[in-house]
Amino acid sequence: MGAFSLARSQGWPVSLKCGGHSYVGLSGGDGLVLDVSRLLSLRIQGDRLFCGAGWRLGPLRTALAHKGWMLPLGQCPGVGLSGFLLGGGYGPTARGLGLGCDSILDAQMISPALGRVQASQSDDLLWALRGSGYGQFGAVFEWCLQLQPIQEVVVFRKPVRETEFIEELERWQHQAPRQDWRVTSYFHLGYQRASLVGALGGVFLGTMREWRRIGWQARAEAAQMPYLAAMNRLGGAVQKRLSPFRATSDFLAQPLSAQAIGALIDQLHKGASHQVQVTFDAYGGAIDQGVGAFPPRPGRLACVQALGFERGHPHLLGEWLSEYAVRLRPFYTGEAYANYAELGRKDWREAYFGSHWERLLSLKVLHDPCFLLRHPLSLIPLGTP
Ligand SMILES: Cc1cc2nc3c(=O)[nH]c(=O)nc-3n(C[C@H](O)[C@H](O)[C@H](O)COP(=O)(O)OP(=O)(O)OC[C@H]3O[C@@H](n4cnc5c(N)ncnc54)[C@H](O)[C@@H]3O)c2cc1C
């Protein structure tokens, strides 16, 4: 509260920082930065976790696994828990266990106007913290989350040759979002060195025997392993791609036609020098049951992320991303994923907040009437200086 008063008296904007993994640096800025990363308490009561807001996904996952529990977290170990949960939180168990934000039972927050508040005492605040994205209403300092008993998983993966892209992606987008809830899969197309490669893979919550019984992707390489080993394996691959990049995101509600997939492949070829890649993450299953402010709910087949590396030419990558949007966005829903934040998108209000805008803005005015928490994607009425 003292920090917010100081910022108000000095006219400084305030940002909140947890893991510092915002794609566009929303946790930095010129004003006062409140860093929660030292808030690392952890207490388990029954199947509920009470934890400080400063955890990163990797250490939290390991600490919980040693106690026999898991949460639907993303695989990248360095991502901060608070930013991840606030923006939705997609991970390799999402279709079975929901998004990260679906695990939120309660939160303790310092609001600039109201001081210490408990999210469950306001239906609107709890709803908003479940996925509306970014530090908009105050500083969360403790989370209460629903734990899941830890279990074995099967990790599967199949390379896809360029000649098979259209046929395989057409099939995947019909099957993956309607698959058994225990299967969370992705379809990835991207440049590796000089060639365009593809892969289909994912995680099955269960044993090898149960995986075989489902009979999906029988030609994929598959291995059963403890949950923690699986996440460490998948997370290691993500950590390697941290040189400067830019990304854009969309949601898919209608399967892409063969012609649209052809346009996507053509566009990927144009981005070879930026090692561009496009990943489809399957939705459906438990994700459709969520009740929070994460906008794109039932009926979404996948979230689609296009990403490229700047390699000293950020403007050329920007041009590639703009062209990608012009060619591909007509096939998507117009919604974007808060956790894959992007600046400069003209439709950002509709894309990130959709029909929730008014309700979220009322909450913003209640908790942060002076708009201390402001950044390029914050909820601020049009025309605010
Ligand atoms: C390498 C990499 C891999 C990723 N993988 C995934 C993935 O698999 N799935 C997925 O869904 N996303 C993924 N993301 C995106 C990631 O979830 C978001 O960027 C997320 O916002 C990062 O959270 P953070 O705490 O690390 O970042 P920060 O930059 O610290 O914070 C992000 C936002 O949350 C706000 N915030 C942080 N802490 C608090 C708090 N205590 N109270 C209120 N607001 C707060 C910040 O102000 C900021 O707006 C990935 C990102 C990277 C860079």
Side-chain angles (χ1 to χ4, degrees):
M1 197 63 176
F4 286 125
S5 305
L6 173 68
R8 196 164 26 240
S9 67
Q10 299 296 320
W12 296 334
V14 181
S15 334
L16 302 159
K17 179 171 182 182
C18 177
H21 271 53
S22 162
Y23 275 19
V24 293
L26 295 183
S27 48
D30 294 337
L32 191 65
V33 178
L34 302 182
D35 185 337
V36 301
S37 63
R38 291 203 180 169
L39 301 179
L40 298 173
S41 59
L42 187 140
R43 180 165 50 94
I44 294 174
Q45 248 176 32
D47 60 359
R48 290 176 168 215
L49 167 69
F50 296 83
C51 69
W55 282 90
R56 289 184 189 242
L57 303 188
L60 179 61
R61 179 174 22 248
T62 304
L64 293 176
H66 290 146
K67 294 176 192 291
W69 296 104
M70 63 196 265
L71 283 168
L73 303 176
Q75 66 263 41
C76 180
V79 168
L81 177 69
S82 291
F84 176 80
L85 295 177
L86 288 164
Y90 186 91
T93 57
R95 292 190 69 260
L97 306 179
L99 297 170
C101 67
D102 297 330
S103 299
I104 300 175
L105 298 173
D106 207 348
Q108 302 284 342
M109 189 183 91
I110 305 285
S111 140
L114 306 183
R116 183 177 174 150
V117 289
Q118 185 168 349
S120 59
Q121 293 187 349
S122 145
D123 284 350
D124 269 3
L125 183 58
L126 188 57
W127 166 82
L129 295 182
R130 289 176 171 148
S132 65
Y134 326 120
Q136 307 274 16
F137 312 104
V140 174
F141 62 93
E142 187 184 81
W143 293 104
C144 171
L145 305 172
Q146 177 66 57
L147 291 166
Q148 306 289 338
I150 199 159
Q151 50 181 304
E152 289 280 297
V153 300
V154 171
V155 177
F156 62 96
R157 187 175 184 282
K158 180 176 89 172
V160 180
R161 283 199 299 266
E162 192 175 346
T163 50
E164 301 166 332
F165 284 171
I166 293 184
E167 189 191 335
E168 287 278 1
L169 181 53
E170 269 197 304
R171 200 169 23 237
W172 179 88
Q173 63 184 349
H174 280 100
Q175 295 178 349
R178 299 188 180 91
Q179 233 354 287
D180 186 303
W181 285 22
R182 292 170 294 176
V183 184
T184 302
S185 66
Y186 65 83
F187 196 102
H188 178 84
L189 301 167
Y191 262 91
Q192 249 172 38
R193 290 175 211 98
S195 40
L196 190 56
V197 294
L200 179 166
V203 167
F204 170 74
L205 284 164
T207 62
M208 196 64 165
R209 216 167 137 186
E210 292 165 324
W211 166 246
R212 289 212 183 95
R213 213 175 294 146
I214 287 184
W216 193 56
Q217 298 302 339
R219 281 171 41 223
E221 254 182 50
Q224 181 178 333
M225 60 187 82
Y227 169 74
L228 192 56
M231 294 306 118
N232 289 341
R233 184 159 136 177
L234 297 171
V238 176
Q239 279 297 77
K240 285 189 197 125
R241 48 166 224 224
L242 277 181
S243 54
F245 65 88
R246 274 181 65 187
T248 192
S249 67
D250 293 277
F251 283 88
L252 188 68
Q254 296 295 328
L256 294 176
S257 63
Q259 193 191 5
I261 299 173
L264 171 63
I265 295 167
D266 181 56
Q267 187 61 23
L268 281 165
H269 280 301
K270 292 184 171 186
S273 57
H274 294 284
Q275 304 268 288
V276 292
Q277 45 185 271
V278 172
T279 306
F280 291 74
D281 285 316
Y283 270 55
I287 299 173
D288 283 354
Q289 311 293 306
V291 291
F294 183 77
R297 287 288 182 164
R300 303 303 176 269
L301 303 178
C303 177
V304 189
Q305 176 172 215
L307 183 150
F309 297 91
E310 293 183 353
R311 312 189 121 205
H313 298 287
H315 61 287
L316 291 181
L317 176 59
E319 281 171 19
W320 183 86
L321 285 165
S322 303
E323 193 177 330
Y324 166 88
V326 169
R327 295 185 76 180
L328 274 305
R329 201 144 284 156
F331 304 111
Y332 301 141
T333 62
E335 301 148 325
Y337 180 28
N339 270 349
Y340 300 156
E342 181 187 0
L343 298 183
R345 194 166 162 155
K346 288 199 183 70
D347 62 346
W348 68 276
R349 280 168 201 258
E350 300 75 38
Y352 291 116
F353 305 106
S355 58
H356 297 327
W357 174 264
E358 295 292 332
R359 188 173 169 192
L360 291 169
L361 191 56
S362 310
L363 204 60
K364 174 80 173 169
V365 171
L366 177 70
H367 287 281
D368 184 22
C370 299
F371 300 115
L372 294 177
L373 295 162
R374 57 194 301 163
H375 53 65
L377 296 176
S378 54
L379 299 150
I380 296 182
L382 278 173
T384 305

